[in-house]
Amino acid sequence: MNPTDSEIQLKIGRDVESVGWSWIWVFDPGEPAVPSFAYTIGLFRTFSHPEVVVVGLPESTSHAVLEAVFDSVESGARYASGSVSDEILNGFSVRFEDVSSVLAEENLVQAFVFNSGEVEVLQMVWPEKNGKFPGDDGAPSWLEERQKLHS
């Protein structure tokens, strides 16, 4: 582990201890075609709940969405693959889907370090303005690509 990782993990540990969770924003300024994403760290340890990743939203929106997920889980909600919630985005439903272990380990590195390699991950998938999710009939083609985790 390099010193930067240690500093990051110390901050994550302090966040989880004081408020129950932390989050990480991931982006590649050199590769704008790869969608940015954000994910929780601490839901697994604090609530035995899968960590949650959201892809393709701006940083401030991602934080607000993940904070809403945390608040919902803290209040007793439990999400699994296929769960739908109207509690996260005002006026829209969101859906939760499994993330393959390979994609999860490649992309949510700090969650795996924090949880000593033992963590489940769900992706919170958001709809476009007409309520269509990626893969739905009539959903715009950009929607799936914008929410895709890359390896």
mmCIF file of all heavy atoms in Angstrom, residues 33-62:
data_model
loop_
_atom_site.group_PDB
_atom_site.id
_atom_site.type_symbol
_atom_site.label_atom_id
_atom_site.label_comp_id
_atom_site.label_asym_id
_atom_site.label_seq_id
_atom_site.Cartn_x
_atom_site.Cartn_y
_atom_site.Cartn_z
ATOM 1 N N ALA A 33 -14.374 9.918 -22.700
ATOM 2 C CA ALA A 33 -15.376 8.982 -23.209
ATOM 3 C C ALA A 33 -15.761 7.930 -22.170
ATOM 4 O O ALA A 33 -16.801 7.294 -22.282
ATOM 5 C CB ALA A 33 -14.869 8.296 -24.474
ATOM 6 N N VAL A 34 -14.920 7.743 -21.146
ATOM 7 C CA VAL A 34 -15.223 6.777 -20.087
ATOM 8 C C VAL A 34 -16.028 7.504 -19.021
ATOM 9 O O VAL A 34 -15.575 8.502 -18.465
ATOM 10 C CB VAL A 34 -13.932 6.185 -19.481
ATOM 11 C CG1 VAL A 34 -14.243 5.286 -18.300
ATOM 12 C CG2 VAL A 34 -13.139 5.437 -20.541
ATOM 13 N N PRO A 35 -17.237 7.024 -18.725
ATOM 14 C CA PRO A 35 -18.077 7.736 -17.759
ATOM 15 C C PRO A 35 -17.472 7.761 -16.354
ATOM 16 O O PRO A 35 -16.875 6.783 -15.908
ATOM 17 C CB PRO A 35 -19.382 6.935 -17.741
ATOM 18 C CG PRO A 35 -19.313 5.980 -18.866
ATOM 19 C CD PRO A 35 -17.882 5.849 -19.271
ATOM 20 N N SER A 36 -17.646 8.884 -15.695
ATOM 21 C CA SER A 36 -17.242 8.986 -14.297
ATOM 22 C C SER A 36 -18.250 8.218 -13.451
ATOM 23 O O SER A 36 -19.355 7.922 -13.890
ATOM 24 C CB SER A 36 -17.194 10.450 -13.879
ATOM 25 O OG SER A 36 -18.447 11.049 -14.107
ATOM 26 N N PHE A 37 -17.829 7.889 -12.224
ATOM 27 C CA PHE A 37 -18.734 7.185 -11.336
ATOM 28 C C PHE A 37 -18.369 7.483 -9.896
ATOM 29 O O PHE A 37 -17.296 8.004 -9.595
ATOM 30 C CB PHE A 37 -18.735 5.668 -11.612
ATOM 31 C CG PHE A 37 -17.411 4.983 -11.427
ATOM 32 C CD1 PHE A 37 -17.090 4.373 -10.221
ATOM 33 C CD2 PHE A 37 -16.480 4.935 -12.466
ATOM 34 C CE1 PHE A 37 -15.878 3.719 -10.046
ATOM 35 C CE2 PHE A 37 -15.269 4.292 -12.304
ATOM 36 C CZ PHE A 37 -14.965 3.677 -11.088
ATOM 37 N N ALA A 38 -19.291 7.163 -9.005
ATOM 38 C CA ALA A 38 -19.074 7.345 -7.572
ATOM 39 C C ALA A 38 -19.647 6.131 -6.864
ATOM 40 O O ALA A 38 -20.577 5.489 -7.356
ATOM 41 C CB ALA A 38 -19.748 8.621 -7.091
ATOM 42 N N TYR A 39 -19.076 5.837 -5.687
ATOM 43 C CA TYR A 39 -19.568 4.677 -4.948
ATOM 44 C C TYR A 39 -19.446 4.874 -3.446
ATOM 45 O O TYR A 39 -18.648 5.672 -2.972
ATOM 46 C CB TYR A 39 -18.876 3.389 -5.393
ATOM 47 C CG TYR A 39 -17.376 3.335 -5.217
ATOM 48 C CD1 TYR A 39 -16.814 2.800 -4.065
ATOM 49 C CD2 TYR A 39 -16.525 3.775 -6.221
ATOM 50 C CE1 TYR A 39 -15.437 2.708 -3.919
ATOM 51 C CE2 TYR A 39 -15.146 3.689 -6.080
ATOM 52 C CZ TYR A 39 -14.601 3.153 -4.926
ATOM 53 O OH TYR A 39 -13.240 3.064 -4.789
ATOM 54 N N THR A 40 -20.281 4.123 -2.743
ATOM 55 C CA THR A 40 -20.277 4.167 -1.286
ATOM 56 C C THR A 40 -19.189 3.259 -0.740
ATOM 57 O O THR A 40 -18.783 2.288 -1.376
ATOM 58 C CB THR A 40 -21.625 3.699 -0.704
ATOM 59 O OG1 THR A 40 -21.829 2.322 -1.046
ATOM 60 C CG2 THR A 40 -22.773 4.546 -1.185
ATOM 61 N N ILE A 41 -18.760 3.594 0.454
ATOM 62 C CA ILE A 41 -17.883 2.732 1.235
ATOM 63 C C ILE A 41 -18.413 2.812 2.661
ATOM 64 O O ILE A 41 -18.539 3.901 3.208
ATOM 65 C CB ILE A 41 -16.413 3.194 1.191
ATOM 66 C CG1 ILE A 41 -15.921 3.268 -0.240
ATOM 67 C CG2 ILE A 41 -15.536 2.267 2.035
ATOM 68 C CD1 ILE A 41 -14.580 3.942 -0.403
ATOM 69 N N GLY A 42 -18.759 1.678 3.214
ATOM 70 C CA GLY A 42 -19.241 1.644 4.579
ATOM 71 C C GLY A 42 -20.622 1.038 4.737
ATOM 72 O O GLY A 42 -20.968 0.607 5.840
ATOM 73 N N LEU A 43 -21.427 1.002 3.670
ATOM 74 C CA LEU A 43 -22.751 0.375 3.795
ATOM 75 C C LEU A 43 -22.604 -1.089 4.185
ATOM 76 O O LEU A 43 -23.369 -1.602 5.000
ATOM 77 C CB LEU A 43 -23.540 0.467 2.488
ATOM 78 C CG LEU A 43 -23.963 1.849 2.005
ATOM 79 C CD1 LEU A 43 -24.784 1.729 0.727
ATOM 80 C CD2 LEU A 43 -24.724 2.603 3.066
ATOM 81 N N PHE A 44 -21.589 -1.735 3.619
ATOM 82 C CA PHE A 44 -21.381 -3.155 3.893
ATOM 83 C C PHE A 44 -21.003 -3.370 5.358
ATOM 84 O O PHE A 44 -21.586 -4.195 6.049
ATOM 85 C CB PHE A 44 -20.307 -3.717 2.949
ATOM 86 C CG PHE A 44 -20.187 -5.207 2.977
ATOM 87 C CD1 PHE A 44 -21.167 -6.004 2.426
ATOM 88 C CD2 PHE A 44 -19.088 -5.812 3.547
ATOM 89 C CE1 PHE A 44 -21.062 -7.385 2.440
ATOM 90 C CE2 PHE A 44 -18.962 -7.192 3.575
ATOM 91 C CZ PHE A 44 -19.961 -7.983 3.023
ATOM 92 N N ARG A 45 -20.066 -2.581 5.841
ATOM 93 C CA ARG A 45 -19.610 -2.748 7.226
ATOM 94 C C ARG A 45 -20.665 -2.258 8.230
ATOM 95 O O ARG A 45 -20.917 -2.903 9.239
ATOM 96 C CB ARG A 45 -18.306 -1.994 7.456
ATOM 97 C CG ARG A 45 -17.774 -2.225 8.874
ATOM 98 C CD ARG A 45 -16.425 -1.645 9.096
ATOM 99 N NE ARG A 45 -15.411 -2.344 8.307
ATOM 100 C CZ ARG A 45 -14.137 -1.991 8.304
ATOM 101 N NH1 ARG A 45 -13.720 -0.983 9.037
ATOM 102 N NH2 ARG A 45 -13.277 -2.649 7.558
ATOM 103 N N THR A 46 -21.290 -1.136 7.955
ATOM 104 C CA THR A 46 -22.221 -0.530 8.899
ATOM 105 C C THR A 46 -23.572 -1.240 8.948
ATOM 106 O O THR A 46 -24.153 -1.400 10.020
ATOM 107 C CB THR A 46 -22.425 0.964 8.570
ATOM 108 O OG1 THR A 46 -21.143 1.609 8.538
ATOM 109 C CG2 THR A 46 -23.303 1.661 9.589
ATOM 110 N N PHE A 47 -24.070 -1.668 7.772
ATOM 111 C CA PHE A 47 -25.427 -2.215 7.696
ATOM 112 C C PHE A 47 -25.505 -3.611 7.086
ATOM 113 O O PHE A 47 -26.605 -4.100 6.845
ATOM 114 C CB PHE A 47 -26.326 -1.293 6.866
ATOM 115 C CG PHE A 47 -26.410 0.103 7.391
ATOM 116 C CD1 PHE A 47 -25.777 1.138 6.732
ATOM 117 C CD2 PHE A 47 -27.117 0.385 8.546
ATOM 118 C CE1 PHE A 47 -25.855 2.434 7.203
ATOM 119 C CE2 PHE A 47 -27.196 1.679 9.036
ATOM 120 C CZ PHE A 47 -26.564 2.715 8.360
ATOM 121 N N SER A 48 -24.375 -4.240 6.784
ATOM 122 C CA SER A 48 -24.369 -5.517 6.058
ATOM 123 C C SER A 48 -25.181 -5.403 4.771
ATOM 124 O O SER A 48 -25.937 -6.306 4.405
ATOM 125 C CB SER A 48 -24.918 -6.660 6.926
ATOM 126 O OG SER A 48 -24.092 -6.845 8.040
ATOM 127 N N HIS A 49 -25.044 -4.277 4.109
ATOM 128 C CA HIS A 49 -25.757 -3.973 2.871
ATOM 129 C C HIS A 49 -24.730 -3.818 1.748
ATOM 130 O O HIS A 49 -23.637 -3.305 1.987
ATOM 131 C CB HIS A 49 -26.543 -2.666 3.027
ATOM 132 C CG HIS A 49 -27.427 -2.348 1.874
ATOM 133 N ND1 HIS A 49 -26.959 -1.817 0.710
ATOM 134 C CD2 HIS A 49 -28.764 -2.514 1.719
ATOM 135 C CE1 HIS A 49 -27.977 -1.653 -0.125
ATOM 136 N NE2 HIS A 49 -29.076 -2.079 0.461
ATOM 137 N N PRO A 50 -25.054 -4.248 0.534
ATOM 138 C CA PRO A 50 -24.096 -4.057 -0.558
ATOM 139 C C PRO A 50 -23.721 -2.580 -0.726
ATOM 140 O O PRO A 50 -24.546 -1.692 -0.491
ATOM 141 C CB PRO A 50 -24.847 -4.558 -1.794
ATOM 142 C CG PRO A 50 -25.863 -5.506 -1.258
ATOM 143 C CD PRO A 50 -26.264 -4.950 0.085
ATOM 144 N N GLU A 51 -22.477 -2.355 -1.119
ATOM 145 C CA GLU A 51 -22.077 -0.999 -1.496
ATOM 146 C C GLU A 51 -22.821 -0.653 -2.784
ATOM 147 O O GLU A 51 -23.280 -1.539 -3.510
ATOM 148 C CB GLU A 51 -20.557 -0.914 -1.722
ATOM 149 C CG GLU A 51 -19.724 -1.275 -0.514
ATOM 150 C CD GLU A 51 -19.848 -0.339 0.684
ATOM 151 O OE1 GLU A 51 -20.541 0.698 0.621
ATOM 152 O OE2 GLU A 51 -19.241 -0.668 1.718
ATOM 153 N N VAL A 52 -22.961 0.642 -3.068
ATOM 154 C CA VAL A 52 -23.723 1.088 -4.237
ATOM 155 C C VAL A 52 -22.849 1.996 -5.086
ATOM 156 O O VAL A 52 -22.188 2.895 -4.578
ATOM 157 C CB VAL A 52 -25.011 1.824 -3.811
ATOM 158 C CG1 VAL A 52 -25.747 2.382 -5.019
ATOM 159 C CG2 VAL A 52 -25.920 0.880 -3.018
ATOM 160 N N VAL A 53 -22.879 1.760 -6.398
ATOM 161 C CA VAL A 53 -22.170 2.583 -7.364
ATOM 162 C C VAL A 53 -23.196 3.226 -8.293
ATOM 163 O O VAL A 53 -24.210 2.607 -8.630
ATOM 164 C CB VAL A 53 -21.125 1.753 -8.167
ATOM 165 C CG1 VAL A 53 -21.773 0.629 -8.946
ATOM 166 C CG2 VAL A 53 -20.297 2.640 -9.092
ATOM 167 N N VAL A 54 -22.938 4.466 -8.671
ATOM 168 C CA VAL A 54 -23.761 5.165 -9.654
ATOM 169 C C VAL A 54 -22.809 5.699 -10.724
ATOM 170 O O VAL A 54 -21.739 6.221 -10.409
ATOM 171 C CB VAL A 54 -24.615 6.282 -9.009
ATOM 172 C CG1 VAL A 54 -23.771 7.355 -8.368
ATOM 173 C CG2 VAL A 54 -25.589 6.879 -10.022
ATOM 174 N N VAL A 55 -23.189 5.520 -11.983
ATOM 175 C CA VAL A 55 -22.316 5.856 -13.107
ATOM 176 C C VAL A 55 -22.964 6.924 -13.986
ATOM 177 O O VAL A 55 -24.167 6.881 -14.237
ATOM 178 C CB VAL A 55 -22.037 4.596 -13.971
ATOM 179 C CG1 VAL A 55 -21.076 4.916 -15.111
ATOM 180 C CG2 VAL A 55 -21.498 3.460 -13.118
ATOM 181 N N GLY A 56 -22.137 7.868 -14.459
ATOM 182 C CA GLY A 56 -22.570 8.799 -15.491
ATOM 183 C C GLY A 56 -23.280 10.045 -15.026
ATOM 184 O O GLY A 56 -23.829 10.780 -15.852
ATOM 185 N N LEU A 57 -23.263 10.329 -13.752
ATOM 186 C CA LEU A 57 -23.870 11.557 -13.240
ATOM 187 C C LEU A 57 -22.763 12.516 -12.809
ATOM 188 O O LEU A 57 -21.659 12.089 -12.465
ATOM 189 C CB LEU A 57 -24.775 11.258 -12.042
ATOM 190 C CG LEU A 57 -26.021 10.430 -12.323
ATOM 191 C CD1 LEU A 57 -26.745 10.097 -11.019
ATOM 192 C CD2 LEU A 57 -26.951 11.148 -13.286
ATOM 193 N N PRO A 58 -23.045 13.824 -12.779
ATOM 194 C CA PRO A 58 -22.043 14.775 -12.289
ATOM 195 C C PRO A 58 -21.691 14.490 -10.824
ATOM 196 O O PRO A 58 -22.470 13.872 -10.088
ATOM 197 C CB PRO A 58 -22.740 16.132 -12.421
ATOM 198 C CG PRO A 58 -23.861 15.923 -13.372
ATOM 199 C CD PRO A 58 -24.268 14.479 -13.251
ATOM 200 N N GLU A 59 -20.539 14.993 -10.400
ATOM 201 C CA GLU A 59 -20.044 14.717 -9.051
ATOM 202 C C GLU A 59 -21.040 15.105 -7.962
ATOM 203 O O GLU A 59 -21.345 14.311 -7.075
ATOM 204 C CB GLU A 59 -18.714 15.440 -8.822
ATOM 205 C CG GLU A 59 -18.116 15.187 -7.465
ATOM 206 C CD GLU A 59 -16.767 15.864 -7.271
ATOM 207 O OE1 GLU A 59 -16.342 16.650 -8.133
ATOM 208 O OE2 GLU A 59 -16.153 15.598 -6.223
ATOM 209 N N SER A 60 -21.570 16.336 -7.999
ATOM 210 C CA SER A 60 -22.473 16.774 -6.934
ATOM 211 C C SER A 60 -23.773 15.964 -6.941
ATOM 212 O O SER A 60 -24.306 15.637 -5.874
ATOM 213 C CB SER A 60 -22.766 18.268 -7.040
ATOM 214 O OG SER A 60 -23.402 18.558 -8.274
ATOM 215 N N THR A 61 -24.260 15.611 -8.103
ATOM 216 C CA THR A 61 -25.466 14.792 -8.199
ATOM 217 C C THR A 61 -25.187 13.394 -7.668
ATOM 218 O O THR A 61 -26.005 12.819 -6.930
ATOM 219 C CB THR A 61 -25.970 14.719 -9.654
ATOM 220 O OG1 THR A 61 -26.178 16.050 -10.140
ATOM 221 C CG2 THR A 61 -27.258 13.922 -9.763
ATOM 222 N N SER A 62 -24.027 12.847 -8.019
ATOM 223 C CA SER A 62 -23.653 11.516 -7.532
ATOM 224 C C SER A 62 -23.614 11.487 -6.015
ATOM 225 O O SER A 62 -24.130 10.559 -5.386
ATOM 226 C CB SER A 62 -22.284 11.102 -8.083
ATOM 227 O OG SER A 62 -22.332 10.954 -9.478
#
